[in-house]
Amino acid sequence: MTAVQDTSRAGLISGFLTRAGWQDSALFWLPGDASFRRYARLTRGSETAMLMDAPPPLEDVRPFLAVAEHLLRLGQRAPRILARDEQAGLLLLEDFGDTTFTRALAAGAPEEPLYRDALDLLIGLHRHADAASIGLPPYDDALFLREAHLLTDWYLPAVAPAVASGADIEAARAGLTATLTPLLTLARQVPQTLVLRDYHVDNLMLLPGTATGSGPQGLGLLDFQDAVIGPVTYDLVSLLEDARRDVPPALATAMLARYAAAFPQIDPAALDLSCRIMGAQRSMKIVGIFTRLSRRDGKHRYLTHIPRLWRLIARDLDHPDLAPLSAWLDAAIPPAIRTTPETPA
């Protein structure tokens, strides 16, 4: 934002807080992440709340509001909405505290109880008869492919600039479309449900007063504004194939077995294949996103996670039905160039 935009935004925020009755609160901005949204904690005596600043047209708070209210109706702990100004892109939210799973793990909390509770939350959500009863777009081929093409549009030019002409990129995109489309059909041979899309340890909260491993009812949900209706496996791999954190393979295997046991009606082979396809698609997408964050937005710290993502992709591709995708990657982005892009000068 320019200085004029900053001043204008500050005025909007001040007016919003006055209308919400929080004009006398202290405001502390939290560190930013990958989006254009930013958050501040408000304190007023013993009370706290969270301000979401999502400036239009870069952000739109309406999907967040719709999904938050739907999750609350389903009995999940999304933040309650205390005040809203949709046109200005401002929300006042219930404060879930500071204990993300990421912070709990960094402080020495045992992994298995946290992942078990997160997995059980997904099981409960996927069992709910009304989970998909919300007017959200489907996770269709067009969206899956648009995401996957971030790999060809951003990562490929960053690691192979000599061959990344417009024609080269279009050929790579066409090859990925042809290869991935039939796999997406296979990935949908599992039930469809509400997909939160960013279900991982950075967006899972231990609610205040909740002990580690006390059950999914003590967990709060964040960052679900991009939710869609799609395969049940997507949020599973979002949790267990984390782009920013190594999840021990034995733990991931145990959690998938726990999920499969909760849904014996789902064919285990179909579940495994869907997880691999969703995992590969998601990791390829994030390789592209992290490259874009560096090249376009100057946020270079995400590049450190790209080697992990390639390891996850390799693991998911170790299945006969994913051989076409493996072959496409070997031709379009050979292992020798699957490197971390250089930070732009």
Side-chain angles (χ1 to χ4, degrees):
M1 289 187 184
T2 66
V4 172
Q5 289 171 322
D6 280 340
T7 301
S8 174
R9 197 73 192 158
L12 285 173
I13 291 170
S14 177
F16 172 69
L17 294 180
T18 297
R19 294 191 299 275
W22 283 77
Q23 66 273 18
D24 296 326
S25 61
L27 184 150
F28 304 93
W29 288 105
L30 305 182
D33 197 12
S35 75
F36 293 103
R37 294 184 307 278
R38 57 178 186 160
Y39 295 87
R41 172 165 285 115
L42 309 178
T43 60
R44 183 178 61 185
S46 61
E47 295 180 280
T48 65
M50 296 298 295
L51 171 70
M52 178 197 288
D53 176 23
L58 299 171
E59 298 284 347
D60 183 354
V61 299
R62 291 172 297 178
F64 179 92
L65 288 168
V67 179
E69 290 167 348
H70 181 60
L71 288 168
L72 289 167
R73 287 192 295 269
L74 296 177
Q76 302 293 342
R77 284 302 310 276
R80 291 179 296 111
I81 312 300
L82 307 178
R84 67 182 75 190
D85 185 336
E86 297 174 30
Q87 186 174 357
L90 296 169
L91 301 178
L92 194 63
L93 307 172
E94 177 184 6
D95 184 6
F96 280 170
D98 290 315
T99 311
T100 62
F101 273 30
T102 300
R103 288 177 177 156
L105 290 163
E111 288 180 308
E112 196 275 339
L114 286 172
Y115 277 90
R116 184 184 65 234
D117 287 351
L119 192 282
D120 286 351
L121 190 156
L122 276 185
I123 289 172
L125 181 61
H126 294 175
R127 279 176 171 164
H128 202 294
D130 295 326
S133 299
I134 177 175
L136 290 176
Y139 218 153
D140 58 15
D141 283 2
L143 179 53
F144 274 124
L145 291 168
R146 187 161 66 247
E147 292 177 341
H149 288 153
L150 292 169
L151 181 75
T152 53
D153 295 353
W154 288 92
Y155 180 76
L156 182 56
V159 296
V163 299
S165 68
D168 292 327
I169 297 301
E170 286 306 313
R173 292 175 108 253
L176 181 54
T177 295
T179 303
L180 191 55
T181 299
L183 292 176
L184 295 174
T185 299
L186 295 176
R188 293 193 183 93
Q189 293 181 349
V190 295
Q192 309 292 293
T193 190
L194 176 66
V195 177
L196 302 179
R197 287 182 78 189
D198 283 304
Y199 192 79
H200 53 77
V201 293
D202 287 341
N203 294 328
L204 289 164
M205 304 289 297
L206 271 179
L207 297 176
T210 300
T212 300
S214 58
Q217 67 277 1
L219 306 187
L221 296 170
L222 302 177
D223 203 12
F224 41 70
Q225 61 280 336
D226 295 323
V228 290
I229 304 301
V232 295
T233 46
Y234 190 89
D235 282 343
L236 277 173
V237 298
S238 182
L239 176 68
L240 300 175
E241 297 187 16
D242 198 319
R244 307 187 199 190
R245 181 176 192 278
D246 291 324
V247 179
L251 177 60
T253 298
M255 292 300 103
L256 283 174
R258 185 178 181 89
Y259 185 89
F263 295 97
Q265 71 274 22
I266 301 178
D267 176 59
L271 183 69
D272 174 66
L273 179 57
S274 183
C275 281
R276 288 173 179 268
I277 296 168
M278 292 293 89
Q281 184 273 348
R282 184 173 184 275
S283 291
M284 290 191 301
K285 168 185 75 173
I286 298 174
V287 169
I289 289 173
F290 285 175
T291 306
R292 184 178 65 184
L293 283 169
S294 173
R295 298 274 156 152
R296 188 190 68 185
D297 304 328
K299 298 178 180 180
H300 307 306
R301 65 185 183 275
Y302 298 98
L303 295 177
T304 61
H305 302 300
I306 285 180
R308 174 183 299 108
L309 287 160
W310 281 118
R311 292 194 298 271
L312 291 170
I313 292 167
R315 193 167 71 194
D316 283 325
L317 293 179
D318 187 20
H319 187 287
D321 286 338
L322 275 83
L325 183 56
S326 181
W328 175 85
L329 274 171
D330 285 344
I333 309 177
I337 66 169
R338 294 174 197 172
T339 57
T340 301
E342 294 182 4
T343 301

